[in-house]
Amino acid sequence: MMRTFLKRHGLKLVIHLGALVPAVVMALQLARGSYLDPIRQMTTASGNTALALLGLTLTCTPLARLTGFRAVLRVRRPLGLYTFSYAALHLLIFAGWDYGFAWDLLIPALFTQRFVLAGLAAFVILLALALTSTRGWQQRLGRWWKRLQRWVYAAAGLVVLHVLLLSKTPDKALRYGIVLVLLLVLRWVPARPSAQGASSAPVTKD
Amino acid sequence: MVPIRPSEITPEHIYLSRRKFMLGLGAAALLAACGRLPDTPEATVMPEGAATSEALSTPRPTPTQKPDIKTAFDAVTGYVNYYEFSLDKEAAAILANESLQVSPWTVTVGGLVNKPRVFDIEEILKFEQEERVYRMRCVEGWSMVIPWLGFPLSRLLKEVEPLSNAKYVRFQTLADPEQMPGLGDMTFPWPYIEGLRLDEAMHDLTLIATGIYGWSLRPSNGAPLRLVVPWKYGFKSLKSIVRIDLVEEQPTTFWMAAGAGEYGFWANVNPEVPHRRWSQANERRIGETRRIPTLLFNGYADEVADLYPDLTNKDWFF
């Protein structure tokens, strides 16, 4: 019985537990005062986690298509929602902790700094995708739902731009950009026969 | 602007003794808590000739809008930009403190001078050292308040007697791949070069720092000697200097060569002139929670503004 449970839910368990690890590590580091610059280091840590989770989310579809391993499609939605959660934490630290919700500073910060604009645009897309990720919205939007969810690639592109615009050197953004292009290209690779229709499997299917 | 009153700054003999106690306490607590302190502060030694309290003059007040609070020792020494070791600020500090050999050390001072000379670090430490509490504003948008020990660069330059055709000073950081793993990153034009116009270099605020918080410089802060130019963005204040040359032409600095046209030679702090990709209007003081406005010339305008004719020329701030 335990074996069937793990076989059915093992991957989801790993995702749910794994996605919480960065938050726990951040909370512990903060609590014991081991961040020398907590604002910047927590901003970076939450941002990097969101980025890594976004990469994993985008890997699900190509992985299912190429290997026929369709179980990964069932963790696509939780991965996407965790991505959104860390992005929201990232934004909250920036606006609330760093800038103290001081709108007289935040509004100029948004319009004079393109990296903020790119990051916020990516967040707005992720917010829309998170809100419409439920089964109800999937049915309401019908065929438009899938088109909407494909905007995740635009969000990922904006995130790469965000990293490029805020870094002193471009190498990190270039690495992420290459990974993103690779993931996009993999969508055009024909699916394995055994996995026909894998990419069209409903994301919310449990 | 209300300058910080001397009475608000703890006299050095008190903070030195208190520091020893606090450092021991802090190190013990940190070690017990996480065991990640690479090198306990007790291992740090005062530089010869700088250790005596007579050598320290009264700390110089920093011109500022509100009293500056010195940034914590652990942040000043543990959170640094030192790309020769790592792009990560904490990793760079740990790696530098682990592997940088600061003794023996020599600084070659030459170029357009009457008396070119190789200084041993012991000779550098014989210059009368004083404490200067300076603000450090990083081009990335954060700042610290740091009690340096050192002496004006002008005194070193007077020893070698610059020639009349010397217009600029070119500085070079150590670039030893054996000690500095970051040098493997070939996207950067090593070694780290910086430069000042001669009158900037001769200015009384321009410091050769050999110590910090009453102790000798930590490798992470650019031991055994570094430049501190408090009215310019932090990258001008290069670390671990091995060579100083007086030259006629404006030197091409590391960031001018590496920064894809985003960094100029002058790099004077100005909240009105943004970096190409981010604002410089305000800054985050490490250890404090609210952003504070950035000041023209980092708050040292009264002292240095007359070095630059026509302040409407934005080139001075690029």
Side-chain angles (χ1 to χ4, degrees), chain B residues 13-34:
Chain B
H13 64 277
I14 294 176
Y15 91 61
L16 279 177
S17 58
R18 196 165 63 192
R19 275 225 69 79
K20 278 181 199 154
F21 172 68
M22 293 301 288
L23 285 174
L25 208 72
L30 258 174
L31 283 170
C34 46

Side-chain angles (χ1 to χ4, degrees), chain B residues 6-28 41-42 46 59 68-73 131 147 213-215:
Chain B
S7 60
E8 288 172 324
I9 299 176
T10 315
E12 64 272 358
H13 64 277
I14 294 176
Y15 91 61
L16 279 177
S17 58
R18 196 165 63 192
R19 275 225 69 79
K20 278 181 199 154
F21 172 68
M22 293 301 288
L23 285 174
L25 208 72
E42 288 100 312
M46 289 288 282
D68 279 338
I69 298 161
K70 285 180 219 158
T71 307
F73 180 85
E131 177 162 86
Y213 258 114
W215 305 83

Side-chain angles (χ1 to χ4, degrees), chain B:
Chain B
M1 292 197 294
V2 182
I4 185 169
R5 289 192 305 276
S7 60
E8 288 172 324
I9 299 176
T10 315
E12 64 272 358
H13 64 277
I14 294 176
Y15 91 61
L16 279 177
S17 58
R18 196 165 63 192
R19 275 225 69 79
K20 278 181 199 154
F21 172 68
M22 293 301 288
L23 285 174
L25 208 72
L30 258 174
L31 283 170
C34 46
R36 60 185 278 284
L37 206 67
D39 186 8
T40 61
E42 288 100 312
T44 321
V45 288
M46 289 288 282
E48 287 286 326
T52 51
S53 54
E54 302 88 75
L56 303 174
S57 69
T58 317
R60 174 180 292 249
T62 315
T64 179
Q65 289 188 319
K66 56 177 185 176
D68 279 338
I69 298 161
K70 285 180 219 158
T71 307
F73 180 85
D74 288 338
V76 173
T77 56
Y79 192 74
V80 300
N81 276 324
Y82 205 157
Y83 281 15
E84 282 84 344
F85 288 95
S86 169
L87 301 185
D88 180 89
K89 291 178 177 58
E90 286 186 298
I94 290 168
L95 285 168
N97 288 333
E98 272 172 3
S99 60
L100 183 64
Q101 289 295 321
V102 297
S103 173
W105 192 280
T106 57
V107 194
T108 309
V109 187
L112 304 172
V113 296
N114 254 331
K115 298 179 178 168
R117 202 175 140 186
V118 178
F119 288 88
D120 203 82
I121 188 62
E122 276 72 32
E123 297 174 275
I124 295 287
L125 294 172
K126 286 201 182 94
F127 284 89
E128 191 194 341
Q129 314 277 319
E130 59 180 283
E131 177 162 86
R132 300 269 183 101
V133 181
Y134 281 166
R135 311 167 123 209
M136 158 78 76
R137 170 64 157 79
C138 181
V139 75
E140 295 168 352
W142 52 269
S143 64
M144 293 184 176
V145 179
I146 306 173
W148 300 104
L149 285 175
F151 58 93
L153 171 65
S154 61
R155 274 197 244 146
L156 182 71
L157 295 181
K158 278 170 192 156
E159 290 279 311
V160 296
E161 299 176 8
L163 297 172
S164 60
N165 57 340
K167 300 281 190 292
Y168 292 91
V169 188
R170 179 185 181 276
F171 304 86
Q172 184 178 327
T173 294
L174 176 76
D176 178 6
E178 297 283 306
Q179 304 183 51
M180 300 168 144
L183 295 178
D185 189 339
M186 298 308 287
T187 54
F188 289 111
W190 308 110
Y192 198 98
I193 302 291
E194 258 309 334
L196 294 173
R197 199 173 59 197
L198 189 54
D199 58 344
E200 297 176 323
M202 297 299 285
H203 195 281
D204 183 56
L205 284 179
T206 304
L207 204 68
I208 287 290
T210 57
I212 200 164
Y213 258 114
W215 305 83
S216 60
L217 269 189
R218 308 298 305 274
S220 57
N221 294 112
L225 80 159
R226 68 170 294 161
L227 185 68
V228 183
V229 194
W231 71 91
K232 290 173 181 281
Y233 290 112
F235 65 85
K236 294 295 287 183
S237 300
L238 83 172
K239 300 183 174 74
S240 308
I241 301 170
V242 289
R243 205 182 161 89
I244 300 173
D245 286 301
L246 281 286
V247 293
E248 192 164 3
E249 302 289 323
Q250 190 183 87
T252 301
T253 67
F254 177 85
W255 279 109
M256 285 163 79
E262 294 189 327
Y263 302 92
F265 179 80
W266 301 102
N268 292 306
V269 175
N270 187 342
E272 306 287 326
V273 181
H275 181 272
R276 287 277 169 84
R277 290 175 288 128
W278 57 80
S279 160
Q280 299 289 24
N282 50 58
E283 66 201 49
R284 220 159 35 72
R285 187 60 63 75
I286 303 297
E288 297 173 23
T289 40
R290 286 291 160 261
R291 282 186 170 260
I292 53 174
T294 291
L295 304 176
L296 181 63
F297 292 110
N298 201 23
Y300 301 93
D302 289 349
E303 285 95 332
V304 301
D306 56 358
L307 288 172
Y308 310 98
D310 185 18
L311 289 181
T312 58
N313 182 358
K314 289 197 172 176
D315 286 349
W316 296 125
F317 307 102
F318 166 68

